[in-house]
Amino acid sequence: MRLIPINQYDERSMVLAQPIFDSKRRLLLGANHSIHPKYLERMVQMGISTLVVEDAISKGITLEEMLDMPAWMDVMESVHLAYEAAASMKPLPIPMILKSVAELLAEVQRRPVLLPMPTSTLAEELRPYAHGVNVALLSLQIAKALGYNQLKMKDLAVGCLLHDIGKVVTSEEKEHPEAGFSILRKERELSLLSGHIAYQHHERLDGTGYPRGLSQKQIHEYALICGLSDYYENLISNLNIPPHEALEMIMAQNEVAFPMAIVNAFVQNIPSYPPGTKVRLYTGEEAIVIKISSHMQRPVIRILSTQKEISLAENPSIVIANVC
């Protein structure tokens, strides 16, 4: 299976590899079905711009590096209920949030690679909740690389899941961080540090962030981790920038917006070319990434013309030219 832009879907050669849900999380179309043009049109109207499909060239690729759909949807529901509670000025569903955090922690700890599913695979209404889940997943992998213990990872994950919760009470972009902090600080079961993630996730090392223009040591490390993950997730899901280009943009922010240690931890643990990515080598040959093995930036590929599988980590002279 592989991810494709919805406008590249070919009914003759592709079937869905992951189910499609509507804005109420109801099943719209199951896996292993081809998509009728009317359904495709409806998906576009819902805001879905990416599909997970299976076709001849992606046969055997499992995308096991990605969080499975049921687990993703369950954690999204926790975030959704928290947003609804905040909008109604009711207490947040803390036990559900902490249960979701424990599940994410377990997934991150047991897997060497864990990639988020792009929010562009979902209806527009579900994306804010999926964004929180994806930012938490990315941030936990940075934390794991930095050697965080379980307690620190828990506080980080809670803050990342709910980093944008202030948006339910204000439509002003530069006001939502403080609004989110005000919501989270009222929850006695949560660490105040989780609230500061919401407050500071748009702050940058060089002082160009908001809402307070903090810089350097004034910004908590948790917030910088969340900020980097939020930036990356927006690049790949909202701006549809390919992961390898998004990683280059992250590296350009090294010691400008984000500290070197956090940037390095991210780059060393998030692959440039996720499984299912179709690439062209400098030889002109086309290939598809089939798995991440020993090196995040040097995956195992399958040459499409010969079906030969090659580990780029073991063959440094073979270089990817571009995504095709």
Side-chain angles (χ1 to χ4, degrees):
M1 62 181 77
R2 63 186 178 117
L3 292 159
I4 63 163
I6 196 168
N7 60 8
Q8 291 183 10
Y9 178 75
D10 186 344
E11 185 182 7
R12 298 164 299 177
S13 61
M14 299 175 179
V15 295
L16 272 179
Q18 294 278 13
I20 298 292
F21 297 88
D22 67 12
S23 60
K24 304 293 185 183
R25 297 197 310 127
R26 297 172 301 202
L27 183 66
L28 181 65
L29 191 62
N32 302 313
H33 286 84
S34 58
I35 308 174
H36 189 276
K38 287 187 177 179
Y39 271 101
L40 202 65
E41 183 180 349
R42 182 178 174 188
M43 290 174 191
V44 172
Q45 291 171 350
M46 290 164 54
I48 295 171
S49 59
T50 303
L51 299 174
V52 185
V53 302
E54 183 144 13
D55 57 5
I57 70 168
S58 62
K59 186 176 180 180
I61 299 174
T62 62
L63 296 186
E64 62 185 17
E65 294 85 356
M66 289 187 172
L67 186 65
D68 64 88
M69 182 70 76
W72 194 44
M73 298 293 280
D74 285 347
V75 182
M76 280 168 49
E77 178 64 5
S78 297
V79 178
H80 183 191
L81 291 175
Y83 275 41
E84 286 189 335
S88 303
M89 293 183 289
K90 295 178 180 178
L92 304 187
I94 301 301
M96 183 177 286
I97 289 292
L98 294 179
K99 181 175 181 289
S100 293
V101 165
E103 291 170 356
L104 292 181
L105 276 170
E107 291 286 346
V108 169
Q109 295 289 16
R110 75 178 181 86
R111 300 202 205 191
V113 186
L114 184 57
L115 300 176
M117 187 75 71
T119 65
S120 52
T121 59
L122 295 171
E124 189 70 37
E125 292 87 344
L126 297 177
R127 288 191 186 183
Y129 319 124
H131 173 70
V133 181
N134 287 355
V135 169
L137 279 173
L138 293 165
S139 296
L140 284 173
Q141 289 176 91
I142 296 173
K144 181 180 176 181
L146 294 174
Y148 276 28
N149 61 31
Q150 288 289 106
L151 179 59
K152 293 174 71 174
M153 291 179 82
K154 185 197 81 170
D155 291 343
L156 174 68
V158 169
C160 290
L161 278 179
L162 304 177
H163 71 279
D164 274 341
I165 197 168
K167 290 184 176 181
V168 303
V169 295
T170 179
S171 59
E172 293 295 326
E173 171 64 22
K174 292 190 176 182
E175 293 179 3
H176 83 268
E178 185 171 3
F181 176 68
S182 296
I183 292 168
L184 296 182
R185 73 186 300 187
K186 296 174 185 175
E187 300 293 337
R188 294 185 178 181
E189 295 174 73
L190 299 183
S191 167
L192 191 60
L193 291 176
S194 298
H196 276 290
I197 291 171
Y199 203 175
Q200 299 180 14
H201 71 277
H202 282 297
E203 303 287 0
R204 298 295 183 255
L205 276 188
D206 60 2
T208 60
Y210 58 89
R212 291 182 290 169
L214 303 180
S215 63
Q216 299 296 327
K217 297 296 183 181
Q218 294 175 313
I219 312 169
H220 197 281
E221 185 173 83
Y222 292 3
L224 289 164
I225 291 172
C226 180
L228 187 151
S229 299
D230 175 63
Y231 177 53
Y232 176 83
E233 216 284 319
N234 277 316
L235 289 175
I236 64 169
S237 286
N238 294 337
L239 300 180
N240 296 315
I241 292 175
H244 69 285
E245 292 184 15
L247 276 173
E248 290 175 2
M249 294 172 73
I250 292 287
M251 288 187 282
Q253 296 300 315
N254 188 15
E255 290 297 322
V256 177
F258 308 107
M260 182 183 298
I262 293 175
V263 171
N264 287 345
F266 189 85
V267 171
Q268 290 165 11
N269 288 276
I270 304 299
S272 297
Y273 304 98
T277 304
K278 189 178 175 185
V279 298
R280 182 174 289 106
L281 306 179
Y282 269 106
T283 60
E285 295 172 292
E286 292 189 353
I288 190 165
V289 176
I290 59 173
K291 63 182 177 181
I292 308 298
S293 183
S294 59
H295 195 295
M296 285 292 158
Q297 315 311 335
R298 301 285 293 169
V300 179
I301 62 170
R302 180 193 299 148
I303 305 296
L304 296 182
S305 60
T306 64
Q307 298 300 297
K308 182 180 180 182
E309 295 184 4
I310 300 172
S311 168
L312 297 187
E314 297 173 4
N315 293 272
S317 63
I318 300 176
V319 179
I320 293 173
N322 57 275
V323 171
C324 59

